[in-house]
Amino acid sequence: MMRWNDHKTWVEIIPPNLFSYAECLHFLSRSDSEILHQINGDSVYKLIEIKEAFLLLKVTFDSGHLMVEIRNKDTSLTEREQVARYVWEWFGFDQDLEAFYQIANQDELLKPIVSLYDGLRIVSIPDLFEALTWAIIGQQINLTFAYKLKKRFVETYGSSLSFDGKTYWIFPSAQIVANFQVEDLTALQFSARKAEYVIGVAQDIAAGKRSKKSLLDMQSYSNIHAELVSVRGVGAWTADYCIMRCLQHPSAFPIADVGLHNALKKRLNWDRKPSLEEIKEWSKAWEGWEAFATFYLWRYLDE
């Protein structure tokens, strides 16, 4: 449920029953190098763009409600509705967590984990270009360096807003990046191959060849996955990461993910990582909910 006040600067969102703001805040706090949102105490600040207007959001949680203040301007009813939709998607409020818990609570591997992080939702990346680019940036490098590359990319080519002495950033658009040369990104320490991939994805999206809506309209996970892996630079892991974080499809399963393997090793208390064959066997019990299983195992790895 969403509500708006008369002062044109607030949106109030009543989340689904299964929601832990603390757990989602933990996920959003995982790197000090994050550039696309800022956390101050229990508040999250995020700059978004709606119809060429930059809106600075301050998100807090109070008495079971998510309170969203638009800090930099009065907004129209249409703008506040779009803010509400953005935040609703960002925090994954359409996800059927109850159905996942019914599966997880019957699984020996997952049951102890989901009880630890009750109410954790898959925090999404609503923009397709951002999701694909972030996944490509993260290919075959550690997370610390991936965040550094993203920070350079955003600060060099993204849009920003200064407010109360701080600067907030928006991810570069596909339309801008589509006109880049490889050298524009290798100057930021992107590999030449990754630079080619990111520019290619930007050109496809800018030309309307591929969109979030067109992917969602496919509905079938296998069809969406096949479409994404047909993109140069998008392999199975990258496709599944995007399907999980942007399209929020519960069947997405980045089975080759190193973090997933390390989390399972920790959960099993093994001295080795499990094989892909072992993971495939265990995951049969998670069919249709692999994205949630993966996200919760990533959370478990943080402990």
Side-chain angles (χ1 to χ4, degrees):
M1 184 183 296
M2 308 170 195
R3 298 173 181 163
W4 300 267
N5 76 350
D6 293 332
H7 300 295
K8 300 185 179 180
T9 58
W10 284 91
V11 173
E12 179 182 358
I13 298 175
I14 302 176
N17 290 331
L18 293 174
F19 171 60
S20 170
Y21 180 71
E23 281 297 333
C24 292
L25 194 66
H26 175 90
F27 177 80
L28 291 168
S29 305
R30 68 197 185 284
S31 175
D32 292 336
S33 297
E34 177 58 65
I35 187 72
L36 294 173
H37 61 262
Q38 297 181 26
I39 295 175
N40 185 357
D42 292 331
S43 300
V44 184
Y45 295 79
K46 186 169 181 63
L47 184 65
I48 67 172
E49 184 176 3
I50 293 177
K51 293 185 177 179
E52 300 182 353
F54 287 177
L55 304 180
L56 177 60
L57 312 184
K58 177 185 178 182
V59 181
T60 54
F61 191 69
D62 182 51
S63 303
H65 294 186
L66 211 60
M67 306 301 297
V68 184
E69 180 187 1
I70 299 102
R71 300 213 67 206
N72 61 314
K73 70 187 291 286
D74 287 349
T75 53
S76 66
L77 176 60
T78 298
E79 287 174 322
R80 295 197 298 282
E81 287 173 341
Q82 292 187 21
V83 165
R85 290 192 193 101
Y86 182 94
V87 173
W88 189 273
E89 180 179 1
W90 185 27
F91 282 91
F93 287 156
D94 278 332
Q95 299 162 7
D96 191 355
L97 211 54
E98 184 174 352
F100 166 62
Y101 285 168
Q102 290 175 0
I103 297 294
N105 284 325
Q106 299 176 41
D107 184 84
E108 291 183 5
L109 274 173
L110 296 180
K111 184 176 181 179
I113 294 175
V114 297
S115 64
L116 287 173
Y117 314 120
D118 187 54
L120 171 64
R121 290 175 174 269
I122 299 178
V123 180
S124 77
I125 303 174
D127 181 71
L128 177 63
F129 178 62
E130 179 186 336
L132 281 169
T133 301
W134 175 227
I136 290 169
I137 286 173
Q139 291 171 356
Q140 299 180 331
I141 60 174
N142 64 56
L143 199 57
T144 300
F145 186 52
Y147 273 108
K148 287 181 179 179
L149 283 182
K150 183 172 81 167
K151 189 171 188 289
R152 290 173 190 160
F153 180 60
V154 172
E155 288 182 335
T156 305
Y157 298 114
S159 299
S160 66
L161 172 75
S162 293
F163 186 84
D164 279 354
K166 293 186 177 181
T167 302
Y168 302 88
W169 292 91
I170 288 178
F171 200 79
S173 71
Q175 288 71 24
I176 290 173
V177 180
N179 295 311
F180 283 8
Q181 301 299 315
V182 168
E183 293 76 16
D184 294 321
L185 297 183
T186 56
L188 305 179
Q189 283 192 290
F190 280 64
S191 68
R193 191 63 59 84
K194 284 187 181 180
E196 292 171 1
Y197 295 162
V198 168
I199 294 168
V201 167
Q203 289 171 343
D204 281 356
I205 292 175
K209 182 178 178 181
R210 192 166 287 106
S211 69
K212 182 176 178 179
K213 182 180 185 302
S214 68
L215 292 169
L216 288 171
D217 285 347
M218 292 180 182
Q219 298 185 340
S220 162
Y221 161 73
S222 59
N223 290 343
I224 296 170
H225 193 274
E227 172 64 19
L228 283 174
V229 297
S230 72
V231 178
R232 184 168 180 259
V234 177
W237 178 88
T238 304
D240 274 304
Y241 186 86
C242 181
I243 295 169
M244 173 196 293
R245 295 290 313 282
C246 181
L247 307 182
Q248 299 191 54
H249 199 298
S251 295
F253 192 24
I255 193 170
D257 184 78
V258 173
L260 172 65
H261 298 179
N262 285 330
L264 286 167
K265 175 186 174 182
K266 177 182 176 180
R267 170 70 185 89
L268 295 161
N269 197 27
W270 284 5
D271 58 3
R272 65 171 179 86
K273 295 178 184 178
S275 67
L276 286 178
E277 289 71 23
E278 288 169 326
I279 298 173
K280 287 176 183 176
E281 185 62 30
W282 295 326
S283 66
K284 289 178 182 177
W286 316 335
E287 186 175 0
W289 301 100
E290 295 92 339
F292 289 94
T294 300
F295 202 75
Y296 272 71
L297 284 161
W298 284 345
R299 173 64 179 91
Y300 179 68
L301 192 60
D302 288 344
E303 291 298 329

